[in-house]
Structure formats: C-alpha cells, structure tokens
Amino acid sequence: MLDLKFVRDNIPAVEEMLKKRRSSVSLEGFVDMDKKRRTLLVEVESMRAERNSASEEIGRLRREKKDAAELMGRMKELSEHLKGLEANLPEIEHRMEEFLLAIPNVPDPSVPDGAGEEDNPVVRTWGQPRVFDFPVKDHVDLGLELGILDFDRAAKIAGGRFCLSKGAAALMERALVNFMLDIHTREHGYLEVLPPFMANSASFIGTGQLPKFEEDLFRVEGTDYYLVPTAEVPVTNIVRDEILPGETFPLKMAAYTPCFRAEAGTHGKDTRGMIRQHQFSKVELVKVCHPEQSAAELELLTANAEEILKRLGLPYRVVILCTGDMGFAAAKTYDIEVWLPSQGKYREISSCSDFSDFQARRAKIRFRDGAGGKTRLAHTLNGSGLAVGRAIVAILENYQRDDGTVDIPEALRSYMGGMERITRK
C-alpha cells in the first residue's frame, strides 16, 4: 500500500505511474474525499479541544460553587454534534483505505516501460537447449506412456486442472522439494519454516492478494480462511504487526507448501498437462530486510533460485518484467523461465520480486534502526525457489530419450534412491 501523504502530495506522478502500469485504477474522487476527510478531522479535533476545555471550566465553576448550567447546556449540544461527526469518520476512513488498497506499487526506476510480456527484456541466459534427433514428446505423453502421470483419474477425483502423480513422478516431486530446501538452507542461509496452508484475510491483505485478487483464491466457506496460493502469504505474515531489531536483517526464510489457485480468467490457457493447475507444490523464498539492502537482496534471491536450475542442468533465461506486466505489489521483478522442448520456448518457473515497503505498510512490518533508533518500515522480497510441478515438466521433457524413457538429473539421483532413469514398469 502506498503512503496516504505520498499519494496526496503526488497526484500527477501517481496518475502517470498508473498509466505506465496499464492499470484501470482511477484516482477520480480521491482528492475530494481526502479534503472532506481532513476538513472533518480538523472540525472534530477542534470540537474535542473545546469540549475538554469546557470540562475543565465546568469543574472550576463547581469547585467555586458557581452556576455551570449554561455552559453544560452548550456542551451537551456540542457533544451531540460531535457524536454525529465522529460517526461519519469510519465510513470515510474505510473508503479512503479502499482507494489506497487498490493502487499498485510504484515501479523501481530501473524497470523498463512496456505494455506486456513481449516487452520484457532478457537479462541473461544459461545453458544451451538440447538438439534432439528424434520427435520430441511433451510431458503429458511421456508421463502417460511411463505410467507416472494420470490426468483422467485426477479429473474423476477432483476435476480439471489437477494431476495424479504415481511412482517415479511422485517420488521426484518429494525429491525436488527436499533437494531445493537442502540447497537453500544449507548453502544459501535460509531458515526453513513450515507454515499453515491456510491463512486469514488479514494475512492476504498484508501481502496484497486481497482485496484485488479474491476471485483467484479458494475460500473455506463460512470461515475467514483461504487456501494459500503461495507460501509468500503465511511466511511474510510471520512478522506482521511486529517491530524487528534491525541488526537481525536480512531475515531469510524458505518454505514448502502446496499452492491453491482458482486460475480465474485463464479459460483455455494451458489446459493440457501440469503447467497451470489448481493445486501444485512450490518452495518459496522470503526475505525481510533494511530498505537500503533490498536491491542487492533481490539479485541474490534471484541467483539462489537460478542455482537450482543449474544443478538440475536445465537451460533457462532471466527476464525483467516491464511496467505493464509486473505484479500488483511488486516494485521490481525478475522472471526465471525454463526451456520446454515440446513448446520450443521458455516458460516461467520462478518470479522473484522486491516489494519495497508496499507489503510492509499493509502488514505493519517495521524495524528499529539501531539501538533506540527510529522505527521504520522494512522491505520485503520473495521468489519461487522453485515451482516443483514445472520443474518436473522441464526434467521430463529435457531429459527424454528416443525410447520414451527419461534420465534423472545427477543432482537428484541420491534423493530418488539412486534411480538413474525412469522406465515403464
């Protein structure tokens, strides 16, 4: 959430930012409502001061055995009027908050301007896509022929956009989670946490999923719980409403969770296979840091996620998202895209973002700058380290053989009981 004073004092700049983001949000009515709110606050504070002063005067008159009836009558009228004004404040405050909650974050100056995905510049690439001397199969055909993926039974159990993994695929999912967590905790210095897989609305407001993206969430009917779409939500909210000692920064946490997404608005997109599902596993990296550290911490976080793909030997590229393609809460985002031979292109497998103080203001994540120092808003970051389902897709397709079997990356074999190749049993 942006600071109210910042928006008030920079209306033209905020409107220009919304244009660059290709946002439909309008500030129409914001200025008038803000003026009305401030005028009301001034009037309320003035009347409260008058009431307090009169209370002291009434007390003095009574002590001196003097008549205070006239002053008490005036104060009764004032109190009734004040009560009416104070009753209007919550509605105006709520409407102002709704305005602020709908405004996206300000892009970092280094973010390129652009309308969408096609305008995202490539920052770097790693690895060479394999040249196959036989017809390439996609992960769906490979998984079905090997007997390790079952989409029909998943649809029978739940519906579309679900997958039933069996045998080597189920083992690979578990192996990838352990492999990723081991690298991030033992080598990259993250603290492993296992958060709840549901969170309340306050947590979703804190990270920016609510109120804007409610249609993308699965809510538990009759409760204030939502299934988490990413571990970003529960892990970032571990420190919600807290004042942290600045010397502990950066806080670095890694978490595995299943993720649940309604995929609203994606009708017809990636309906085949495991690319876009209602449920998938992910290892998430979350950082909370000093504002002056966040730019450098984003580079490190992205490199941490890239390292997993390097260890697995999967070609990838990194792109920086332009203003029109960047997420609502992000100030700057790198997407890591892995090569998928069946599609002949790179597809996102991780999104690494610096949110500046946008989430911290919503979630009241603060720190004390030095002993007895000033309390300030922290900066938050997160990124996938990685999306497990898409890693399986990439491994099956990049490591396939002409006989329909699939080699297992060397880095993963010890996590799969020494298995070197997936064959049909």
Side-chain angles (χ1 to χ4, degrees), residues 28-297:
E28 184 178 353
F30 175 85
V31 175
D32 289 340
M33 189 180 300
D34 184 41
K35 286 180 179 177
K36 181 178 179 181
R37 171 182 168 273
R38 283 193 287 169
T39 299
L40 182 58
L41 281 173
V42 169
E43 190 174 358
V44 166
E45 290 303 320
S46 175
M47 293 178 70
R48 285 172 178 170
E50 184 180 351
R51 182 186 60 186
N52 293 339
S53 177
S55 295
E56 293 179 3
E57 179 64 13
I58 290 170
R60 184 187 66 80
L61 290 173
R62 283 177 170 174
R63 286 193 300 271
E64 295 177 0
K65 310 295 185 183
K66 293 181 180 178
D67 185 10
E70 182 180 351
L71 183 55
M72 290 173 65
R74 291 207 310 269
M75 286 306 99
K76 183 179 180 181
E77 293 177 4
L78 182 143
S79 293
E80 289 298 322
H81 184 44
L82 177 60
K83 188 183 297 183
L85 293 179
E86 288 175 330
N88 292 330
L89 269 176
E91 180 186 353
I92 294 177
E93 295 281 3
H94 177 68
R95 292 174 64 188
M96 289 294 295
E97 184 178 28
E98 284 184 331
F99 257 115
L100 292 173
L101 288 174
I103 300 174
N105 201 0
V106 177
D108 185 85
S110 63
V111 173
D113 187 29
E117 181 180 356
E118 64 282 355
D119 296 324
N120 296 335
V122 177
V123 178
R124 56 184 170 271
T125 60
W126 184 91
Q128 289 294 325
R130 177 182 168 190
V131 177
F132 292 86
D133 57 3
F134 57 88
V136 172
K137 297 177 181 178
D138 69 8
H139 70 281
V140 177
D141 289 338
L142 287 164
L144 293 176
E145 292 171 12
L146 290 168
I148 60 175
L149 299 178
D150 193 331
F151 297 96
D152 289 339
R153 286 193 173 101
K156 176 178 68 175
I157 296 166
R161 294 194 188 275
F162 288 94
C163 178
L164 173 65
S165 296
K166 303 182 293 183
L171 175 58
M172 182 178 288
E173 178 146 344
R174 177 159 52 92
L176 280 166
V177 170
N178 288 333
F179 170 68
M180 293 175 189
L181 286 173
D182 282 351
I183 298 298
H184 293 314
T185 58
R186 297 175 185 176
E187 300 184 28
H188 298 156
Y190 290 83
L191 172 69
E192 182 177 353
V193 297
L194 185 61
F197 299 162
M198 293 188 287
N200 55 33
S201 58
S203 296
F204 280 83
I205 290 171
T207 47
Q209 279 79 15
L210 287 178
K212 184 173 175 61
F213 301 107
E214 184 161 16
E215 66 174 3
D216 291 319
L217 305 174
F218 287 109
R219 183 171 187 171
V220 181
E221 188 174 358
T223 76
D224 189 40
Y225 297 140
Y226 294 82
L227 300 180
V228 299
T230 164
E232 166 197 351
V233 178
V235 177
T236 304
N237 279 277
I238 289 172
V239 292
R240 187 178 84 230
D241 295 323
E242 293 188 20
I243 299 175
L244 307 167
E247 58 269 20
T248 63
F249 284 166
L251 297 181
K252 299 165 60 175
M253 295 172 283
Y256 151 76
T257 66
C259 303
F260 305 91
R261 299 185 183 180
E263 294 295 347
T266 62
H267 180 73
K269 294 181 181 179
D270 295 311
T271 55
R272 178 175 168 84
M274 298 172 66
I275 295 295
R276 195 182 299 274
Q277 297 196 296
H278 289 314
Q279 176 187 319
F280 60 96
S281 296
K282 186 153 65 80
V283 171
E284 190 78 358
L285 308 176
V286 173
K287 292 185 178 185
V288 182
C289 71
H290 192 286
E292 294 175 5
Q293 296 174 334
S294 64
E297 291 296 341

Side-chain angles (χ1 to χ4, degrees), residues 391-412:
I392 292 174
V393 170
I395 289 171
L396 292 178
E397 294 196 4
N398 282 280
Y399 281 91
Q400 64 182 291
R401 298 168 63 92
D402 59 358
D403 61 359
T405 61
V406 175
D407 289 328
I408 295 171
E410 286 190 23
L412 209 57

